[in-house]
Amino acid sequence: MKEVITLFKEQFNNLRIMFRVSKYQSRSDYQSHYLGLAWEFLNPLIQICIYWFVFGIGLKKGNSSGINYLAWMVIGITPWFYMQTVTNQAAKSIYNQVGMVSKMKFPVSVLPSIKIVSNLSSFWTMLAFSVFIGFFVGGVTPSIYWLQWIYYFFAMIMWLVAFSIFNSTISVLVRDYRILLQSIMRMLFYMSGVLFNFQTNAFPAPLVRILELNPFFYVVSGFRDSMLSQSWFWQRPVLTILFWLFVAFFLVVGSHLHYKFRSRFVDLI
């Protein structure tokens, strides 16, 4: 628990640095491209069009419970794109930059969090786009359920902090872990209910219960529940408790491993 408190202290004490570095990295990543930062938004939009065409029109497998499929998919795929990008980038954040940071007075634990911050601009843009699609395509209207966006956004950030500090540390200790993580994320994309609704009679009940344990599914379905006015988060007490247990596990284990091996990161790399 002591490591968890230390981790959060380092995050809060370096918030200004995190925002400055994330802003610089966002610009440097696209400075040689003609469209620059526009690619942060064009890439997910292109993928959304492809998934909508394949699953919403072509295969017609995106069972969205009577809701317009495009609106249903965009609302769920927005937090997924953000979590996927942050997870993959944060996993290699320490491995790629620990050499530079070791020469500066800069806590290494902040590196994964910088990836969380640097991708927020594209997340907010995509979220606004999903609301637009919900209004004009899905016929969605604002309701009191939209207030729980705040809760699910907080839950998403906490999950990313916990999962990122764990992944970034393991990636230094085990070289093959980053490759394994990429494969796992590709698998979770189809197991998180992003493109199709597995909570239907088409899937065996035991399989549905297993798939619902996925923390990524909890966030994705939570954003949909908020915008589509379906239910409050406390109406899913078991899934909510399990989600926060996942967060606590990765936060405690990740923090412990991070501070245990941090002094050896340069040597391990």
Side-chain angles (χ1 to χ4, degrees):
M1 194 64 185
K2 181 180 179 181
E3 290 95 343
V4 174
I5 296 174
T6 304
L7 175 71
F8 280 109
K9 282 184 178 179
E10 290 185 347
Q11 309 306 303
F12 285 115
N13 292 338
N14 293 275
L15 277 176
R16 292 182 59 185
I17 296 177
M18 287 165 52
F19 279 96
R20 289 172 59 187
V21 174
S22 64
K23 185 177 180 180
Y24 168 78
Q25 287 186 349
S26 297
R27 291 179 176 178
S28 62
D29 288 343
Y30 296 96
Q31 64 180 356
S32 60
H33 299 73
Y34 288 113
L35 296 180
L37 290 174
W39 282 113
E40 285 192 359
F41 319 118
L42 289 176
N43 279 329
L45 288 177
I46 292 172
Q47 293 184 60
I48 285 173
C49 291
I50 294 173
Y51 295 139
W52 171 65
F53 180 79
V54 174
F55 290 90
I57 298 178
L59 299 179
K60 295 187 180 299
K61 295 292 185 180
N63 189 327
S64 52
S65 303
I67 302 168
N68 178 273
Y69 179 73
L70 178 60
W72 181 87
M73 181 192 66
V74 171
I75 294 169
I77 210 170
T78 294
W80 167 261
F81 274 151
Y82 174 69
M83 290 188 290
Q84 180 189 44
T85 302
V86 170
T87 298
N88 289 330
Q89 291 182 1
K92 56 185 179 182
S93 60
I94 294 178
Y95 182 88
N96 288 343
Q97 297 179 312
V98 69
M100 177 188 68
V101 175
S102 63
K103 303 174 184 178
M104 306 165 56
K105 189 178 180 180
F106 190 83
V108 181
S109 66
V110 174
L111 292 177
S113 298
I114 289 176
K115 301 302 180 182
I116 296 176
V117 175
S118 63
N119 287 283
L120 276 176
S121 57
S122 60
F123 169 75
W124 293 123
T125 302
M126 288 300 301
L127 186 60
F129 175 75
S130 68
V131 172
F132 176 83
I133 293 296
F135 270 131
F136 294 97
V137 177
V140 177
T141 55
S143 70
I144 192 172
Y145 287 94
W146 284 27
L147 292 175
Q148 65 181 348
W149 273 8
I150 301 173
Y151 164 75
Y152 281 110
F153 176 76
F154 174 74
M156 179 176 65
I157 296 299
M158 289 300 298
W159 165 244
L160 289 175
V161 170
F163 201 42
S164 295
I165 195 65
F166 176 85
N167 290 332
S168 60
T169 302
I170 298 297
S171 295
V172 175
L173 302 178
V174 183
R175 297 290 182 89
D176 295 338
Y177 181 75
R178 284 179 296 156
I179 300 176
L180 175 64
L181 181 63
Q182 291 176 0
S183 299
I184 292 175
M185 292 302 296
R186 283 194 291 267
M187 179 182 65
L188 288 176
F189 176 66
Y190 296 100
M191 296 176 60
S192 301
V194 178
L195 297 181
F196 56 88
N197 182 12
F198 57 71
Q199 293 177 305
T200 64
N201 295 329
F203 292 84
L207 177 61
V208 172
R209 297 293 178 266
I210 294 174
L211 294 177
E212 287 177 340
L213 300 179
N214 176 6
F216 291 97
F217 165 76
Y218 181 81
V219 175
V220 168
S221 62
F223 272 82
R224 284 185 176 134
D225 286 345
S226 301
M227 187 167 183
L228 301 177
S229 307
Q230 294 182 354
S231 63
W232 296 102
F233 69 89
W234 57 76
Q235 293 178 280
R236 304 191 297 173
V238 175
L239 292 182
T240 298
I241 293 173
L242 287 174
F243 171 82
W244 287 108
L245 287 176
F246 272 114
V247 172
F249 171 80
F250 282 102
L251 190 59
V252 172
V253 175
S255 299
H256 174 71
L257 292 175
H258 178 86
Y259 289 105
K260 180 178 181 180
F261 292 101
R262 183 158 76 172
S263 60
R264 298 171 52 194
F265 279 166
V266 177
D267 296 330
L268 290 171
I269 292 176

